[in-house]
Amino acid sequence: MSSPFKDRVIWITGASSGIGEALAYALDQKGAKLILSARRETELERVRSHSNGQNSDIEILPFDLADITSHEEVVTNAVGRFGKVDMLINNGGISQRGLAHETRLDVVRQIMEVNFFGTVNITKRLLPFMIERKSGHIVVMSSVMGKFGTRLRSAYAASKHALHGWYDCLRQEVGVHNIDVSLVCPGYVKTNVTLNALRADGTQLNRMGAGQMAGMEPDQFVDKLLPKLAKRKKEIYIGGREVIPVYLKRFFPGLLDGLLKRVSVT
Ligand SMILES: NC(=O)c1ccc[n+]([C@@H]2O[C@H](COP(=O)([O-])OP(=O)(O)OC[C@H]3O[C@@H](n4cnc5c(N)ncnc54)[C@H](OP(=O)(O)O)[C@@H]3O)[C@@H](O)[C@H]2O)c1
């Protein structure tokens, strides 16, 4: 059976490492045409050179999600590469490890600029092209932190919760144009996300937390994700026991609140 991703033009942000990199390899193997974005061009080139699918149609498009003024040109370039974008995977993001009352407001803003405003703006600018073609699939890499909150991640959880609000509304608006929206909520995946997380003063944590160390490998995560994206599921949870609080929050929020105060959340 032919892959649902074959010959689809898929634009992945945050493709220079971790989940985005694993998505690039898996989708290349499935015959997709890829546009890979992140800030670090050399890392995008590395990912492109490590891809060895039969259909090595891979374009590199570096940009900064926080640099909103560049996005109009970035989207025009993305659409121009293959003449369309069938699927946008909004995956680029940064995490946080700092107490809410200690984290500087400019650090909160930086996390919101990348995870929320940058992601929303790229989507907004691409949507007219999808609406015109009456076809598209927008994917958003949220987190289980988009469904509940724990210590040390106030701005990160806020940015991911905000994505759910914005993209749930968008789904209601664009269904009529045959455009689907999928929100993905990973648990721990073993990437550099905690190393790159911002501390209260805005410096990088540069340490991998215990949860991350024990997390799923990115390629395993992507193996679980792609069949769900092929079915265009609206909300997707993938992870170990850290996914359980999503359901506890829904049915037993008081119990979850007490439990989370007692568990380690590094
Ligand atoms: N790993 C997990 O356990 C986990 C769990 C839940 C959700 N997530 C989410 O999964 C997504 C991918 O994270 P990951 O785990 O793969 O971590 P990662 O390895 O740190 O990857 C983050 C990616 O985002 C890009 N990025 C960061 N800031 C950017 C900016 N200002 N502009 C453009 N690109 C930027 C990075 O590339 P450059 O540095 O080259 O720009 C990198 O490619 C994130 O949205 C994260 O919140 C991860």
Side-chain angles (χ1 to χ4, degrees):
M1 206 175 76
S2 95
S3 155
F5 301 103
K6 184 154 174 48
D7 293 328
R8 310 298 281 171
V9 178
I10 303 178
W11 183 9
I12 308 170
T13 70
S16 62
S17 69
I19 292 173
E21 177 175 353
L23 273 167
Y25 298 145
L27 288 168
D28 179 48
Q29 287 289 341
K30 291 186 184 301
K33 298 179 197 300
L34 299 178
I35 305 165
L36 306 183
S37 290
R39 287 166 302 178
R40 291 168 300 163
E41 188 167 0
T42 49
E43 289 304 302
L44 293 173
E45 288 291 0
R46 178 186 60 76
V47 173
R48 172 156 66 179
S49 67
H50 278 79
S51 304
N52 55 5
Q54 290 150 5
N55 175 357
S56 277
D57 256 328
I58 304 181
E59 294 281 337
I60 300 296
L61 182 56
F63 77 97
D64 187 341
L65 278 163
D67 181 10
I68 300 282
T69 58
S70 71
H71 290 180
E72 184 176 3
E73 193 183 339
V74 165
V75 171
T76 305
N77 279 333
V79 174
R81 298 290 164 103
F82 297 102
K84 62 173 181 172
V85 173
D86 294 305
M87 181 191 268
L88 167 63
I89 306 184
N90 289 295
N91 168 73
I94 41 172
S95 192
Q96 177 196 15
R97 288 297 183 277
L99 292 171
H101 75 281
E102 290 178 358
T103 300
R104 289 188 341 215
L105 191 62
D106 63 304
V107 176
V108 177
R109 282 190 196 280
Q110 190 182 343
I111 291 167
M112 291 300 289
E113 288 296 345
V114 176
N115 293 1
F116 181 71
F117 290 109
T119 298
V120 162
N121 198 44
I122 287 294
T123 302
K124 264 169 62 62
R125 292 200 172 274
L126 182 63
L127 273 167
F129 296 96
M130 289 186 163
I131 289 171
E132 196 187 343
R133 294 184 58 242
K134 288 221 162 288
S135 168
H137 188 183
I138 308 274
V139 179
V140 190
M141 204 56 70
S142 172
S143 164
V144 289
M145 287 294 103
K147 304 300 288 182
F148 63 93
T150 62
R151 303 188 297 281
L152 305 174
R153 294 156 170 86
S154 50
Y156 179 71
S159 70
K160 298 296 189 183
H161 274 71
L163 290 172
H164 282 262
W166 200 84
Y167 284 92
D168 278 347
C169 293
L170 180 71
R171 185 186 297 111
Q172 297 291 318
E173 294 174 2
V174 296
V176 69
H177 301 295
N178 195 30
I179 298 169
D180 292 303
V181 176
S182 299
L183 281 147
V184 184
C185 302
Y188 284 122
V189 184
K190 205 169 170 186
T191 70
N192 288 342
V193 73
T194 335
L195 288 164
N196 296 332
L198 301 184
R199 292 190 289 208
D201 62 359
T203 56
Q204 284 190 348
L205 185 67
N206 280 327
R207 178 164 49 77
M208 195 182 274
Q212 219 75 52
M213 287 285 265
M216 195 179 285
E217 292 295 333
D219 57 339
Q220 275 181 291
F221 172 79
V222 167
D223 280 350
K224 291 180 189 290
L225 174 61
L226 290 187
K228 296 180 194 302
L229 289 186
K231 290 185 182 150
R232 298 186 173 223
K233 297 252 183 212
K234 293 179 177 59
E235 201 161 284
I236 297 164
Y237 313 128
I238 301 173
R241 60 185 180 174
E242 65 277 10
V243 171
I244 296 170
V246 174
Y247 300 99
L248 289 179
K249 173 83 189 257
R250 202 175 297 162
F251 300 112
F252 307 102
L255 173 69
L256 176 65
D257 194 54
L259 280 175
L260 288 178
K261 285 185 183 123
R262 293 199 293 276
V263 296
S264 164
V265 291
T266 60

